Amino acid sequence: MSMIEFHNVEKYYGSFHALHNINLTIEAGETVVLIGPSGSGKSTLIRTVNGLEQIRHGQLIVNGQDLANPKTDINRIRKNVGMVFQHFNLYANKTILENIMLSPRIVLHRGEAENKKVAMEMLDRVGLADQAPKMPSQLSGGQQQRIAIARSLAMKPKCLLFDEPTSALDPEMIDDVLNVMKTIARDSSMTSLVVTHEMGFAREVANRVIFMADGRILEDDSKETFFDGEPTNERARQFLSKIITH
């Protein structure tokens, strides 16, 4: 069953052509990693999936709903598609537990007892149950990013989008966040679409690796083919050689 389908999708920012004829299908339960040089369109692509960016042409179907149809309820899409950004966007005036409980209370109308139970389960899942009463300012950047992941998980989405979630972190904080993402990737019921520069993560957990440049998908391979075989696209081969060299 397909979770996300791009059919001839085009995206513009004014006259700038950001996405060119994107055709891509992501099956339910897949972990797909998007890589490529800066400005290649990776973040733009995943931001179209939950309607943060609007497409100009084509068809984009998410969990059976067509985002190109003006009658589609985008809030219904977002109930099932969580997103983790580069920056954590936690509410500074609320405790960690309150941050996680807020969206399920407002969007899902989840009862308080059940809401707290789910929130604590998600905190435990990211290894931070003991931080529930603290304020965001009392946590490290890596801990705050794990809280942001727990917040998305508390909505019990069918799909999670990760937009370079480790890029704003100090190097020593990255592993804890990646380990949480690995456990999510191994959950066969969760679909994950990940923009990252962490090649070790891609090698370990991706079902597929997609290479983008200049707003185009130039390579769509299994991780084995991409990393251990040889991409067919010359731009992808050059990118991969630089990654390996450095």
Side-chain angles (χ1 to χ4, degrees):
M1 176 183 175
S2 299
M3 174 59 66
I4 303 167
E5 298 176 31
F6 289 83
H7 299 287
N8 307 115
V9 166
E10 307 279 347
K11 165 70 181 174
Y12 289 81
Y13 293 107
S15 62
F16 176 68
H17 201 168
L19 295 176
H20 296 254
N21 195 36
I22 301 297
N23 287 281
L24 174 66
T25 299
I26 297 171
E27 302 297 332
E30 273 195 305
T31 297
V32 177
V33 172
L34 291 169
I35 67 172
S38 297
S40 60
K42 309 181 300 294
S43 292
T44 298
L45 187 149
I46 70 164
R47 288 169 67 89
T48 65
V49 174
N50 65 351
L52 290 177
E53 299 288 355
Q54 304 296 316
I55 66 174
R56 174 81 64 88
H57 300 295
Q59 189 177 41
L60 174 51
I61 299 171
V62 179
N63 196 31
Q65 303 291 309
D66 184 359
L67 269 68
N69 186 339
K71 295 182 180 179
T72 296
D73 182 355
I74 191 61
N75 291 320
R76 184 178 174 187
I77 299 289
R78 289 172 179 162
K79 285 182 182 180
N80 291 301
V81 181
M83 188 159 187
V84 180
F85 300 89
Q86 294 180 28
H87 300 287
F88 331 120
N89 302 318
L90 301 177
Y91 290 101
N93 63 338
K94 296 184 182 297
T95 67
I96 296 307
L97 183 61
E98 289 168 340
N99 264 278
I100 295 174
M101 292 176 65
L102 186 61
S103 289
R105 179 189 299 127
I106 295 172
V107 178
L108 303 179
H109 308 293
R110 186 180 289 157
E112 286 301 288
E114 175 67 11
N115 198 12
K116 184 174 182 180
K117 178 176 179 288
V118 171
M120 290 304 300
E121 287 173 353
M122 296 306 111
L123 277 172
D124 186 59
R125 186 170 178 180
V126 301
L128 293 172
D130 59 335
Q131 305 298 313
K134 292 186 177 180
M135 306 301 286
S137 61
Q138 296 176 276
L139 274 59
S140 70
Q143 288 174 318
Q144 290 189 58
Q145 189 62 292
R146 285 151 66 193
I147 296 300
I149 294 173
R151 179 179 57 187
S152 290
L153 290 172
M155 292 290 289
K156 297 190 175 180
K158 295 181 179 180
C159 177
L160 268 182
L161 310 173
F162 294 89
D163 188 6
E164 299 193 41
T166 61
S167 64
L169 300 179
D170 292 333
E172 65 270 19
M173 299 177 182
I174 290 174
D175 281 350
D176 287 339
V177 173
L178 289 177
N179 286 336
V180 169
M181 292 171 62
K182 288 173 186 176
T183 64
I184 294 169
R186 294 186 181 110
D187 180 351
S188 61
S189 66
M190 181 69 74
T191 307
S192 297
L193 185 55
V194 185
V195 174
T196 186
H197 295 291
E198 301 293 338
M199 295 301 103
F201 172 84
R203 274 182 177 272
E204 185 171 345
V205 301
N207 298 113
R208 288 156 61 197
V209 176
I210 292 172
F211 176 80
M212 292 187 68
D214 302 320
R216 294 177 169 87
I217 292 176
L218 301 183
E219 199 81 25
D220 182 352
D221 293 321
S222 69
K223 62 183 178 183
E224 293 84 5
T225 298
F226 190 83
F227 290 112
D228 301 321
E230 186 169 295
T232 58
N233 181 269
E234 176 62 23
R235 185 85 180 270
R237 289 198 297 271
Q238 291 176 359
F239 180 86
L240 189 56
S241 69
K242 291 177 182 177
I243 292 286
I244 292 173
T245 301
H246 295 89

